[in-house]
Amino acid sequence: MNPNDEVIAGARDRALERIAAAAVEADLEAVRVEVLGRKGLLAGVSKDFGKMAPEERARMGKLLNAVKQEVETALESRKAAFASAALAARLDSEWLDLTLPAPPPRRGSLHPVTLIQTEIEDLFISMGFTVLDGPEVETEEHNFDALNIPGDHPARDAQDTFWLTDGNLLRTHTSPVQVRGMRKLGPPLRMIAPGRVFRNEEVDASHEHTFYQLEGMMVDRDVSVAHLIFFMKTLLTSIFRREVTVRLRPGYFPFVEPGFELDIQCLICGGPGCPVCKQSGWVELLPCGLVNPNVLRMSGIDPEQWNGFAFGLGLTRLAMMRYAIDDIRLLLGGDLRFLNQF
Amino acid sequence: MKFSYNWLCELVDGLAADPVKLGQLITMKTAECDGVETFAPWLARVAAAKVLSAEPIEGSHNRKAVVDAGRYGRRTVVCGAPNCRAGMVTAYVPPGTELGSMTIGKRVVDGVESDGMLASGYELGVNRDHSGILELAGDVFEPGPDAVIEIDNKSLTHRPDLWGHHGMAREAAAIAGAKLKEPARLSRIPAGAAPVKVEIEDYTLCPRYSALVFENVTVRPSPLWLQCRLEAVGLNSINNIVDVTNFVMAELAQPMHAFDADKLRGDTIFARPARSGERILALNGETYDLTPSNTVIADAGGPIAIAGVIGGGESAISEITTRIVLESANFMASNVRRTSSALKLRTDASMRFEKAQDPANTLRGLARAIELLEQVSPGIRLVGGLADAWRPKPAPQPITLPLEWLYRKLGRAVEKDEVRRILESIEFGVAEPEPGVFLVTVPSWRSTKDIAIKDDLVEEVGRMIGYGSITPRPPMVAATVPPTNEERRYHRRVRELMTDEGFTEVYNYSFVSDETAEKFGHADLVRVSNPIAVGQNLLRKSLIPGVWKNVLDNARHFDSFRLFEIGQEIHKRAEGLPEETAHLAAAVYAKAGDGREGLFELKRVAQCLASTIEVEAGEALAYEHPARTGRLKIGGETVGRLFEFHPSFVETGRAAVLDIDLGALERLLPRMQKYTQIRRLPASAFDLSVITELRRPVGWIERQLTTLGGVDLLAIEFLREYAGAPLAEGTKSVSFRLTVGAADRTLSSDEVGVIRARIIDGMRGWNYELRV
Ligand SMILES: [Zn+2]
């Protein structure tokens, strides 16, 4: 019997015992050094190899390798156990209560008029309309005369005007952009013009001196009332996201002929009458009409060749309808308690 | 404008629609009806009552009256009216009648059971007399309930004819297919020489002046039916003569005026521009200074009326008047309107004349007035014949209406006979000189201003067939791509970025006050000449005052917030319209903290908008924190400002503000960006620390290093700044990492050393020490 047999068996037993007893991962490295290291328990056995007979040497080598292998495997598996325990402990320590409230949202909000304006712009752009701009300070010519409202016309009464000391005015409607559009682009033409307008009015819950309109105009060959109604129905169905019933009745605006008031069937009661529609079943929504030939002529368009329709949508009013805003003053009030809601 | 349903019914044979239905039909076909109100429904229950006895009640000012109340029989009532006496005929209201807001009951007054009441005209709503109970002339109580159809004046702007009941009756008759009656009989106009002469100086200002003279006039209160009719349409009863003129105006839209003939000087009436310095005491008791832009009616002694607006006080009729001159004239619409607005005097007459009334109407007015005056002033006599000065105007050209064209405009076809029937129902003349083409003659009352071209006829036909009969149809048009509005598209991108960064959009007013403008040092603002309130007389040339108000207002509710506005700055120009520039203004407010975070957050936002934006230190404006302000620049161009509000503007907390000219920004943004090849050769990096004075801007040092680095410098990155030991007092060390390389090869360490030395030497040349 080779005394090394005993050394090997002893080293193996000791190693396996200590591996099993290891409390921390560092203990395993100590075992490795003590048993498998260059000065470890098994190192002496290899030194004796030279003195051994070849057969014995082969047997011893095999045995030594098997034991080394066994110890390595035990070390590795124990190491893996430590790692997985450590991971489990870490994961456990990272427990989070996800029912805690999230930090307040950082996303800001767009103004309700911006929201509705963007929607309508996109709709009309998709139907081949261009979006035009005009200045807030306008000439009397653009705001009135070129729209067939000369200086002594009684229709000027309907539009209380802020006049400026330089003789210009704050536009009372977005209609002057019609004039600018016709003069700039010429026929055929499809345009809308959203923007800020001004009326010299006392402010209360339903009246503002500053509000938003969206003007629309199409000039082409043989534009008809049927086309106008088509666009108005498309517009309103898109805004209200449902089929709306509209009616046209005579309305007088000097820049259109014939002129209409477009009413929609009350969305609240659907027709029988309620406080919102003042019991009439209809809500007046937008003035429109076929462009008066004088207006075309004044902007250099031959009314025998071209004609068109125009409409003026109250964006402020629509925003109020859409979001059930009952006080118009909120819109330009700058109160974030209101504006943060959109 | 108020329309009496009874009145309309008298003018239309066979009008079947009830008042509410009629109001709806008018809305759909003619003009907007604002509502229908019943007028004095209680009148149906009122009866004439003869007072049989009126005994005083002891200890009371009331009387116990026994009346014979016709269909109600004999009744006893307590009456407090001073004129209650036996033998008079008055109005009796039985118990159970709802009179306005009260219900008449049977109740005991002064120990007497009062079975109903005797009423004044005021209580009954038939006139405004509350001095005593009604005194009826006959033994019948004539007035009955009515309904008042209120039409929005705005929708009558273009329709001179609808300023009288007869015009609206014509519409009602056409809508209902009923027959219109003509209340005026022109045959009543007397022939013979006129007792007054009329001289018109300018027929443009006064196209027609017609007048009649009456004698043996009795001026007294109107009969009850007339008072009641005027009351129903909102006109005040004055006396029988004035009431007739108002009645004719309300019926035929022809304003009239009665002068006391004995108070006129001379026998000629002039219609002429006022002379400079002329004044007139008007019927309303006010005195008006006139200018030649006003037209007046005058006699030899001066103005006796402001043409088309108001009569004069001195020639007004009174109880002692026995002879009158009745004027029925026509005046130029725009001149009446200008005079009326210049004098700030809108009257029932001026409202009508400014809509361009029909000169042919003056005679109808007179004819109608003759018959009415005979009713209300028994014994009245015409003196001589008609005075009538006018120049016939060329008749309006008939309008050629090709039916195919009409159908194309409407978007549907209409039976030819139907088109004819519609036009004829509103008294247009229709001929068909060639098949499919109508030649349409416009009646005089529609041709003053309203109808002149074929497009006007589209409306006449369209409204009568009903626009609901037109099927909506998309147009067949070329599928062209509309021009893009780059500016709006850019604003939309900015809005999205701002909301993504947590900012809430606000809209502020375009107005600022003098006080605010001064506070912000904004001079030379565009000024409103008729501001609605003292604080709103200037137009903003900056969004900052608005944002400042937003900050103060919201700081009362929030500890921190972010907001922005995109709006127009309005800058005065030497001539032409002001310059309007779109700006973005954003604010970050925090009640706590030292304010650094807000400023750097806004700087980051600015750099998100344009990566090339740089901040350059600059002079502070009045409202800016003097040590926390900078100009935003792209290239050499200033595009905005970044600052903190001066603590005197925001006392609690701190507000950082960004103000950017979006027009300039959009212009300076790189357009189509070319791709830069990804560098594959390794580059070399080294760190440098520059010792500088404490307030030397880091951006300035970075620029120096960048310049010195030249083409070799690929990137420069700020690492940190440090002040304190062992550095000398008043200095700091600023560290950068510089990355250098060549485009075509890897630099050797010697080459890198040369570049580094060059930069260090350069800085030393500027007297900046480096810690290496
Ligand atoms: Zn309703």
Side-chain angles (χ1 to χ4, degrees):
Chain A
M1 181 83 181
N2 191 327
N4 280 321
D5 280 326
E6 225 165 283
V7 172
I8 289 169
R12 172 188 169 274
D13 292 348
R14 185 170 164 74
L16 293 180
E17 188 184 311
R18 290 199 47 198
I19 287 168
V24 293
E25 206 182 334
D27 292 349
L28 296 178
E29 194 48 33
V31 172
R32 183 196 301 277
V33 172
E34 186 188 330
V35 179
L36 304 176
R38 289 204 319 166
K39 291 175 181 167
L41 294 174
L42 295 175
V45 178
S46 313
K47 276 184 205 143
D48 289 349
F49 272 18
K51 296 176 228 163
M52 290 176 205
E55 279 138 56
E56 183 63 6
R57 193 161 60 213
R59 188 185 67 83
M60 225 7 100
K62 227 173 187 176
L63 182 64
L64 197 61
N65 273 337
V67 168
K68 276 183 175 172
Q69 191 67 47
E70 192 181 0
V71 171
E72 285 282 4
T73 307
L75 277 170
E76 285 311 313
S77 109
R78 189 79 177 107
K79 216 174 179 172
F82 273 120
S84 92
L87 180 63
R90 191 193 116 196
L91 293 179
D92 182 64
S93 74
E94 287 174 353
W95 177 79
L96 261 189
D97 181 0
L98 291 181
T99 67
L100 283 170
R106 271 289 308 273
R107 212 189 132 73
S109 11
L110 288 171
H111 194 278
V113 171
T114 299
L115 291 172
I116 203 138
Q117 179 182 321
T118 307
E119 245 178 66
I120 299 174
E121 281 179 10
D122 287 344
L123 173 74
F124 276 100
I125 290 169
S126 79
M127 295 194 289
F129 285 64
T130 187
V131 184
L132 293 183
D133 291 304
E136 292 171 3
V137 174
E138 263 295 7
T139 61
E140 185 177 359
E141 201 262 336
H142 279 117
N143 195 76
F144 288 126
D145 301 74
L147 291 165
N148 210 24
I149 316 173
D152 46 28
H153 199 290
R156 287 203 179 187
D157 285 350
Q159 304 196 0
D160 298 315
T161 309
F162 282 115
W163 292 93
L164 306 177
T165 50
D166 61 5
N168 292 312
L169 48 81
L170 287 172
R171 64 174 174 189
T172 57
H173 46 189
T174 41
S175 308
V177 192
Q178 284 185 17
V179 177
R180 291 179 176 275
M182 285 187 286
R183 291 175 185 180
K184 184 175 157 204
L185 301 173
L189 161 73
R190 273 170 279 169
M191 56 152 277
I192 57 165
R196 172 177 282 211
V197 301
F198 308 83
R199 299 274 171 95
N200 194 336
E201 273 193 53
E202 289 295 335
V203 175
D204 62 29
S206 47
H207 297 90
E208 248 293 5
H209 54 61
T210 304
F211 54 98
Y212 283 77
Q213 281 187 345
L214 185 141
E215 192 79 8
M217 181 183 228
M218 172 174 179
V219 176
D220 214 300
R221 313 267 183 197
D222 288 324
V223 176
S224 73
V225 178
H227 299 144
L228 169 62
I229 307 177
F230 166 79
F231 279 105
M232 294 305 95
K233 275 203 77 147
T234 306
L235 164 67
L236 297 170
T237 302
S238 158
I239 292 171
F240 294 108
R241 296 173 184 145
R242 56 167 145 156
E243 198 63 35
V244 292
T245 307
V246 306
R247 72 174 192 188
L248 248 55
R249 54 185 173 80
Y252 174 65
F253 311 97
F255 38 101
V256 286
E257 185 63 56
F260 315 112
E261 286 284 4
L262 184 141
D263 301 336
I264 57 167
Q265 196 160 61
C266 178
L267 296 170
I268 307 299
C269 68
C274 71
V276 171
C277 58
K278 294 182 197 125
Q279 306 305 329
S280 71
W282 297 92
V283 176
E284 186 177 313
L285 201 62
L286 63 97
C288 52
L290 297 186
V291 182
N292 190 306
N294 291 336
V295 171
L296 294 172
R297 210 174 285 119
M298 281 187 275
S299 287
I301 296 178
D302 179 2
E304 290 302 319
Q305 299 293 317
W306 304 93
N307 75 327
F309 68 71
F311 63 90
L313 189 63
L315 282 180
T316 298
R317 183 126 175 281
L318 267 187
M320 292 177 74
M321 286 172 81
R322 158 77 67 83
Y323 301 107
I325 298 165
D326 55 3
D327 190 336
I328 196 169
R329 290 168 293 195
L330 286 167
L331 293 168
L332 274 88
D335 189 335
L336 296 179
R337 292 171 300 171
F338 167 74
L339 294 166
N340 284 341
Q341 297 178 30
F342 298 94
Chain B
M1 170 86 183
K2 289 177 165 172
F3 290 91
S4 149
Y5 177 73
N6 291 350
W7 204 332
L8 293 174
C9 286
E10 284 168 20
L11 294 167
V12 182
D13 244 345
L15 184 61
D18 65 45
V20 171
K21 180 69 193 160
L22 184 59
Q24 287 168 352
L25 286 170
I26 289 172
T27 292
M28 290 309 292
K29 310 269 187 195
T30 304
E32 183 171 345
C33 169
D34 278 342
V36 178
E37 278 182 18
T38 53
F39 172 77
W42 50 83
L43 292 181
R45 295 172 58 89
V46 177
K50 184 166 180 128
V51 180
L52 302 175
S53 65
E55 305 296 334
I57 302 171
E58 209 172 299
S60 163
H61 69 282
N62 288 330
R63 263 173 255 259
K64 174 185 170 185
V66 178
V67 300
D68 174 3
R71 65 184 195 270
Y72 297 108
R74 182 174 292 223
R75 302 279 173 127
T76 302
V77 290
V78 176
C79 180
N83 63 336
C84 179
R85 62 188 189 278
M88 76 182 298
V89 180
T90 186
Y92 169 75
V93 186
T97 306
E98 305 216 353
L99 188 59
S101 56
M102 63 173 176
T103 305
I104 305 305
K106 211 181 216 184
R107 59 200 179 94
V108 178
V109 183
D110 296 331
V112 178
E113 190 182 58
S114 184
D115 187 7
M117 79 181 263
L118 303 181
S120 69
Y122 180 78
E123 284 164 324
L124 292 176
V126 297
N127 64 27
R128 296 179 194 182
D129 181 9
H130 47 72
S131 64
I133 52 176
L134 266 180
E135 305 227 16
L136 297 178
D139 51 7
V140 195
F141 182 79
E142 287 172 329
D146 199 349
V148 175
I149 298 171
E150 177 91 45
I151 303 292
D152 179 10
N153 283 354
K154 278 207 282 280
S155 68
L156 299 177
T157 308
H158 59 313
R159 291 293 300 268
D161 59 320
L162 296 186
W163 288 79
H165 278 68
H166 191 254
M168 192 56 86
R170 182 182 293 114
E171 293 287 320
I175 293 167
K179 193 172 163 1
L180 179 70
K181 288 197 278 193
E182 172 56 54
R185 288 188 293 158
L186 289 178
S187 59
R188 290 303 317 269
I189 304 278
V196 286
K197 289 203 278 280
V198 174
E199 274 187 26
I200 297 178
E201 196 168 295
D202 182 346
Y203 281 92
T204 320
L205 295 174
C206 176
R208 188 166 200 171
Y209 194 99
S210 316
L212 287 171
V213 178
F214 295 84
E215 62 181 11
N216 202 30
V217 173
T218 322
V219 178
R220 60 179 189 187
S222 291
L224 200 53
W225 70 264
L226 179 51
Q227 293 185 355
C228 186
R229 194 39 73 81
L230 294 177
E231 194 65 38
V233 298
L235 293 168
N236 196 358
S237 172
I238 311 286
N239 58 46
N240 55 347
I241 308 302
V242 174
D243 288 0
V244 164
T245 63
N246 282 334
F247 183 96
V248 173
M249 175 182 72
E251 186 169 72
L252 300 177
Q254 173 62 55
M256 300 180 97
H257 184 69
F259 298 99
D260 186 326
D262 294 318
K263 290 182 183 156
L264 297 184
R265 297 148 291 189
D267 63 352
T268 307
I269 290 173
F270 303 91
R272 58 163 172 84
R275 309 221 159 95
S276 298
E278 275 184 332
R279 326 177 73 193
I280 184 170
L281 169 70
L283 274 174
N284 59 3
E286 302 281 326
T287 301
Y288 295 94
D289 291 315
L290 303 170
T291 71
S293 64
N294 311 130
T295 307
V296 294
I297 306 305
D299 63 9
I304 51 172
I306 305 172
V309 182
I310 198 165
E314 282 159 20
S315 56
I317 55 165
S318 62
E319 279 95 72
I320 55 161
T321 301
T322 59
R323 293 198 317 132
I324 60 169
V325 174
L326 188 62
E327 162 195 302
S328 183
N330 188 271
F331 300 107
M332 180 187 181
S334 53
N335 182 260
V336 170
R337 185 175 157 75
R338 275 197 295 271
T339 296
S340 149
S341 16
L343 302 179
K344 296 190 171 54
L345 179 60
R346 302 206 71 198
T347 60
D348 290 310
S350 75
M351 275 199 306
R352 285 170 173 82
F353 280 124
E354 69 174 30
K355 309 299 186 294
Q357 289 298 331
D358 176 11
N361 213 17
T362 61
L363 297 194
R364 286 174 77 228
L366 289 175
R368 181 69 169 131
I370 293 170
E371 292 190 87
L372 290 165
L373 287 172
E374 285 171 351
Q375 272 186 62
V376 303
S377 177
I380 194 168
R381 278 193 306 270
L382 274 158
V383 181
L386 171 74
D388 189 16
W390 63 299
R391 292 270 169 81
K393 276 201 205 163
Q397 285 294 310
I399 299 170
T400 304
L401 177 66
L403 294 175
E404 270 304 319
W405 178 88
L406 171 70
Y407 304 156
R408 284 207 304 277
K409 288 290 161 285
L410 288 172
R412 65 158 274 200
V414 187
E415 285 293 320
K416 188 161 78 178
D417 289 347
E418 176 70 356
V419 176
R420 177 189 291 273
R421 190 196 61 75
I422 287 170
L423 291 172
E424 286 176 349
S425 74
I426 44 177
E427 301 186 46
F428 286 63
V430 179
E432 192 177 0
E434 56 179 292
V437 179
F438 281 180
L439 195 61
V440 179
T441 312
V442 183
S444 60
W445 57 87
R446 297 294 304 277
S447 62
T448 51
K449 205 168 183 181
D450 179 15
I451 307 263
I453 50 175
K454 58 184 191 284
D455 300 78
D456 297 324
L457 299 175
V458 176
E459 168 150 45
E460 299 306 309
V461 176
R463 66 191 179 98
M464 287 298 176
I465 58 169
Y467 297 115
S469 70
I470 297 171
T471 311
R473 205 153 33 84
M476 310 275 267
V477 286
T480 46
V481 178
T484 310
N485 186 327
E486 295 293 350
E487 190 187 351
R488 280 204 182 253
R489 186 186 270 192
Y490 182 61
H491 292 181
R492 206 187 267 203
R493 268 175 47 207
V494 173
R495 282 195 169 88
E496 276 162 15
L497 181 115
M498 293 310 290
T499 49
D500 285 347
E501 292 292 329
F503 289 74
T504 295
E505 187 181 20
V506 301
Y507 284 12
N508 286 312
Y509 291 108
S510 304
F511 301 106
V512 291
S513 65
D514 281 300
E515 192 194 352
T516 305
E518 194 177 328
K519 193 172 168 74
F520 281 83
H522 293 157
D524 216 19
L525 276 65
V526 178
R527 191 170 283 274
V528 179
S529 60
N530 59 336
I532 196 159
V534 277
Q536 302 173 342
N537 44 356
L538 299 170
L539 298 185
R540 60 178 178 181
K541 71 189 298 186
S542 158
L543 305 189
I544 301 307
V547 165
W548 173 59
K549 184 176 183 301
N550 297 145
V551 166
L552 296 188
D553 289 348
N554 286 291
R556 289 189 281 125
H557 307 292
F558 299 92
D559 289 338
S560 70
F561 53 83
R562 298 172 178 78
L563 56 84
F564 77 101
E565 179 181 14
I566 291 179
Q568 300 292 110
E569 285 190 357
I570 298 174
H571 296 272
K572 202 182 243 179
R573 265 199 289 224
E575 52 191 67
L577 290 174
E579 184 178 7
E580 296 186 20
T581 49
H583 268 239
L584 163 73
V588 175
Y589 174 83
K591 197 152 279 177
D594 61 6
R596 291 176 59 101
E597 241 177 87
L599 283 162
F600 284 100
E601 180 177 342
L602 285 174
K603 180 176 176 181
R604 191 173 54 76
V605 165
Q607 287 175 334
C608 288
L609 287 168
S611 56
T612 47
I613 257 182
E614 288 177 333
V615 182
E616 192 182 283
E619 286 290 293
L621 299 173
Y623 48 88
E624 295 177 345
H625 188 308
R628 292 183 167 193
T629 176
R631 278 193 288 268
L632 301 173
K633 297 196 126 180
I634 296 182
E637 197 167 331
T638 302
V639 295
R641 301 184 74 86
L642 173 67
F643 64 90
E644 183 176 304
F645 265 126
H646 193 283
S648 68
F649 279 69
V650 176
E651 291 175 2
T652 311
R654 291 170 186 267
V657 179
L658 175 70
D659 180 10
I660 293 188
D661 178 343
L662 290 178
L665 196 60
E666 200 224 339
R667 200 175 63 247
L668 295 169
L669 282 179
R671 292 296 146 186
M672 194 63 113
Q673 270 175 317
K674 215 168 103 188
Y675 142 73
T676 318
Q677 207 151 47
I678 297 162
R679 187 178 169 85
R680 300 196 186 277
L681 298 165
S684 312
F686 53 87
D687 294 355
L688 289 177
S689 297
V690 184
I691 313 293
T692 76
E693 48 293 31
L694 212 46
R695 291 197 172 185
R696 170 65 61 187
V698 168
W700 183 88
I701 301 165
E702 188 178 315
R703 269 204 303 284
Q704 308 312 311
L705 293 173
T706 305
T707 310
L708 291 168
V711 290
D712 300 318
L713 186 68
L714 300 176
I716 178 165
E717 183 192 352
F718 168 78
L719 296 177
R720 73 193 82 82
E721 56 176 345
Y722 172 78
L727 295 174
E729 185 98 344
T731 66
K732 66 179 173 183
S733 153
V734 187
S735 306
F736 296 90
R737 176 156 300 158
L738 288 82
T739 307
V740 296
D744 53 349
R745 66 206 159 85
T746 307
L747 295 177
S748 71
S749 59
D750 286 352
E751 286 171 311
V752 171
V754 167
I755 296 167
R756 187 168 170 274
R758 188 181 74 217
I759 296 171
I760 292 171
D761 288 350
M763 288 308 288
R764 287 199 172 123
W766 289 90
N767 283 325
Y768 286 98
E769 206 38 60
L770 276 89
R771 297 205 308 167
V772 188

